[in-house]
Amino acid sequence: MSAGRIFVLASNVFKEVVRERIFYIIGFYGIILLALASLLPELAAATEHKMFPDFGLAAMSILGLIVAVFVGTGIVNKEIEKRTILMLIAKPVSRTEFVIGKYLGLIVVLTVLIAVMTAIFLSFLHYENIDYSLASIFIFVVFLLLQLSLITAVALALSIFTNQLLATALTFAVYLMGNISQDILELGRTSRSLSIERLTQALYLVVPDLSRLDFKDDVLYGLNALPQPQGLLFDAGYSLLYCIMILALTILIFSQREF
């Protein structure tokens, strides 16, 4: 496996996303924050200092999710539909390098996207004189990137063996189930049905628990509401391990597929 070939594939993904003007979504995010800054003082002047960060972080998460899902499910499908994948795998590029290169390229795209949106968000907080904890926001951004990295791995895996429409729907389903996995597990425990409890436990083990990577509410209450460093490290390790497992499964499936 060559790091040079992986770097070339990743840089090509970034250039392709730039050509498709995905980063225009940053301007859309700025418009959302501008609208919020104009409307919230009139709607809820007393709670502006909580509502603006809440809406701003939620918008950042949603826009990041949209990019992760739609670009993640389309990046390989486009190569398959245009048959350009035949030229790529005919060159001295292994299928493992292909998958890792595409994935890392998408992660770079998401990192740039979230970093710029965070800078815009902090600028608005400063302009509106809203108190905030920079450490809390930093932790939120890091774990948002981990969450989006996991969702990107899922999107990429699903796009390998199905069409983009179905892969998109399934990825959103995984995201929704991952955010309520704790509730699903609790539902099984209170159902008093052994079969339902086993089913919910199986879903909890298979579907990544994304709720442990969401620190939006913690940001609103300051650094003291965040978990201890050991807990943060455990959650980060959990997401990275899941990403590695999904990528390994993706490579295995991709290596067996015929084009």
Side-chain angles (χ1 to χ4, degrees):
M1 189 166 60
S2 170
R5 288 194 290 266
I6 292 174
F7 175 79
V8 171
L9 286 166
S11 61
N12 285 338
V13 169
F14 186 84
K15 292 174 183 176
E16 182 181 344
V17 171
V18 171
R19 283 197 299 269
E20 292 181 355
R21 301 173 183 175
I22 295 295
F23 286 121
Y24 279 17
I25 204 167
I26 293 172
F28 181 61
Y29 180 69
I31 293 172
I32 291 175
L33 293 188
L34 185 61
L36 286 172
S38 302
L39 293 175
L40 286 180
E42 300 177 9
L43 297 176
T47 58
E48 180 191 0
H49 285 210
K50 280 289 185 289
M51 291 184 68
F52 183 85
D54 189 15
F55 280 106
L57 295 176
M60 188 188 302
S61 300
I62 292 171
L63 293 176
L65 173 67
I66 291 172
V67 173
V69 173
F70 284 98
V71 179
T73 56
I75 200 71
V76 174
N77 265 297
K78 288 179 181 177
E79 302 278 12
I80 296 173
E81 291 174 1
K82 295 178 180 177
R83 313 304 292 174
T84 53
I85 194 169
L86 297 174
M87 294 184 291
L88 284 171
I89 61 178
K91 294 178 180 180
V93 176
S94 70
R95 299 197 180 198
T96 299
E97 291 170 344
F98 179 84
V99 172
I100 295 175
K102 292 290 186 181
Y103 177 73
L104 292 180
L106 291 171
I107 297 306
V108 172
V109 168
L110 288 170
T111 301
V112 172
L113 182 73
I114 296 300
V116 176
M117 286 197 291
T118 301
I120 294 172
F121 177 68
L122 291 174
S123 299
F124 270 91
L125 290 180
H126 180 74
Y127 180 77
E128 294 292 324
N129 293 319
I130 297 175
D131 294 330
Y132 62 90
S133 167
L134 187 60
S136 298
I137 293 175
F138 176 76
I139 292 173
F140 166 81
V141 169
V142 169
F143 278 86
L144 174 60
L145 281 171
L146 288 173
Q147 186 184 84
L148 295 178
S149 298
L150 210 162
I151 288 297
T152 301
V154 172
L156 196 60
L158 292 171
S159 70
I160 293 296
F161 61 88
T162 186
N163 61 67
Q164 185 175 1
L165 181 61
L166 183 57
T168 300
L170 290 174
T171 305
F172 274 119
V174 170
Y175 175 80
L176 292 173
M177 291 181 65
N179 277 286
I180 61 171
S181 57
Q182 293 282 355
D183 297 327
I184 293 174
L185 188 62
E186 187 62 29
L187 177 64
R189 289 171 180 167
T190 58
S191 65
R192 297 181 181 179
S193 170
L194 184 60
S195 58
I196 293 177
E197 186 174 357
R198 286 178 177 175
L199 176 61
T200 54
Q201 288 175 347
L203 285 172
Y204 182 75
L205 291 174
V206 173
V207 178
D209 184 3
L210 298 177
S211 61
R212 66 171 65 206
L213 304 176
D214 183 7
F215 290 96
K216 179 171 65 67
D217 292 337
D218 302 271
V219 169
L220 301 178
Y221 298 101
L223 189 60
N224 293 331
L226 292 168
Q228 295 299 313
Q230 296 90 338
L232 294 173
L233 288 174
F234 179 82
D235 291 338
Y238 170 87
S239 65
L240 292 173
L241 179 61
Y242 240 106
C243 287
I244 292 171
M245 291 171 57
I246 295 171
L247 283 176
L249 180 62
T250 304
I251 292 169
L252 178 63
I253 295 172
F254 191 58
S255 64
Q256 302 298 319
R257 180 163 179 180
E258 297 293 335
F259 297 101

